[in-house]
């Protein structure tokens, strides 16, 4: 019997051929074509085991990810957002506690605080980067502040040394939103292990992406890991992972249903074995972008110009440029069949869902400025050098007046 690749069927290949002039922001169809025999084998093991959620494949993936990151504990859950909520709860966040977060990040950073019962408090980002500014953190600490949650964005870690100094001076817990930061390390320690704990997201477009939603909590703290494991399975005590009788264990705390699916674990386990090569390919593509775009009129920042911090290992998840006329450039690229993403169109302190906190435009100027100028370009391991060159050609054409 012939095995059909569901990722690239004949009709899909025909469609891909018809649209080969387009460059989507993200595409991993070639990766799945290449890895399909391995993915199919792991998925077959799941089908044979008959446990499709919270089973032995999830446990195997957790152990491999512990090895890869050096974490004492990896707790697989169903999304990176859930991982943040579980981390906050497991770290002891109490109703009404304030957690300081950057105003420039994905909204889940702050909504996770709210879902965990806390109150997000917004700080600005550093003048020449995208991480939370420790000086801004210091200015918004109150007697209700319990934790600070730096976010590692795009291609670099936040200033963990500076954040740590402020946290120690005020007795705050440091929790990391390291959802984008797989592979990033400082002094040999993986992101998410530089404070009390962190998270990873395996959203499909992430550096290590699933075929749906999945996430994980990372920590070296035994108590945080034990509590998070209970919360993810309705608050039940004892072993529940790959242990069907565990569903009758006593419910110790109020939990939720945040179990990782084994089919997602099967895909992630396969891709984890190739992650180092994918990270290196992303770095090559990013350097090619930098070489072409650096110095173009209107381009104010490229990833390669970021200050180098000794001992820090960067991973390029998103190739983000800061550019004048960002929206017009994005429209030009879209007309040319090139996908881009705006990270992020509105800072968190000005999002409608946080209007009750009373912020106004101008409160956090660096975050607001980056929201007006930042544009993410296509970047994934299946992107070709020729595609990068075409993107750069179109950007140069626009910025030098060829298509204005």
């Amino acid at each position: 019997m012939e095995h059909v690749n569901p990722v690239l069927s004949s009709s899909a290949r025909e469609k891909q051929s018809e649209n080969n002039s387009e460059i989507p922001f993200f595409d991993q169809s070639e990766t799945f074509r290449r890895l399909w025999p391995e993915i199919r084998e792991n998925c077959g093991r799941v089908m044979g085991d008959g446990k499709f959620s919270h089973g032995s494949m999830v446990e195997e993936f957790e152990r491999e990810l512990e090895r890869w990151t050096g974490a004492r504990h990896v707790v697989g859950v169903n999304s990176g957002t859930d991982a943040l909520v579980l981390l906050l709860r497991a770290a002891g966040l109490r109703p009404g506690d304030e957690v300081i977060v950057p105003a420039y990040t994905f909204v889940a950073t702050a909504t996770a605080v709210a879902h965990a019962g806390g109150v997000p408090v917004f700080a600005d980002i550093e003048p020449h980067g995208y991480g939370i500014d420790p000086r801004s953190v210091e200015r918004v600490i109150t007697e209700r502040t319990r934790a600070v949650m730096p976010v590692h964005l795009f291609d670099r870690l936040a200033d963990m040394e500076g954040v740590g100094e402020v946290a120690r001076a005020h007795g705050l817990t440091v929790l990391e939103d390291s959802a984008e930061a797989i592979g990033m390390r400082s002094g040999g320690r993986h992101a998410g292990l530089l404070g009390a704990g962190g998270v990873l997201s395996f959203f499909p477009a992430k550096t290590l992406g699933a075929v749906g939603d999945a996430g994980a909590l990372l920590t070296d703290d035994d108590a945080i890991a034990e509590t998070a494991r209970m919360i993810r399975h309705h608050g039940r005590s004892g072993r529940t992972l790959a242990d069907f009788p565990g569903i009758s264990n006593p419910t110790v705390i109020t939990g939720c249903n945040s179990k990782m699916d084994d089919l997602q674990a099967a895909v992630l386990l396969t891709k984890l074995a190739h992650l180092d090569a994918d990270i290196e390919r992303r770095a090559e593509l990013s350097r090619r972008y930098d070489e072409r775009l650096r110095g173009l009129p209107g381009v104010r920042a490229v990833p390669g110009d970021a200050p180098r911090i000794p001992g820090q290992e960067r991973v390029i998840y998103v190739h983000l440029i800061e550019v004048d006329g960002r929206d017009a450039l994005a429209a030009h690229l879209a007309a040319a069949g090139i996908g881009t993403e705006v990270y992020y169109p509105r800072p968190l302190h000005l999002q409608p869902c946080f209007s009750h906190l009373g912020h106004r435009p101008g409160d956090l100027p660096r975050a607001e400025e980056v929201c007006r100028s930042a544009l993410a370009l296509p970047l994934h391991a299946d992107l070709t050098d020729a595609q990068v060159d075409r993107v750069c050609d179109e950007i140069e054409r626009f910025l030098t007046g060829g298509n204005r």
Side-chain angles (χ1 to χ4, degrees), residues 94-118:
R94 300 162 302 194
D97 282 346
E98 293 178 349
V99 179
I100 300 172
V101 301
Y104 183 69
T105 178
F106 185 54
V107 69
T109 305
T111 55
V113 174
H115 282 303

Side-chain angles (χ1 to χ4, degrees), residues 273-285:
H274 302 268
L275 182 56
D276 288 314
D278 285 356
I279 287 173
E280 178 53 36
R281 178 57 180 160
R282 284 171 173 265
E284 292 172 358
L285 293 167

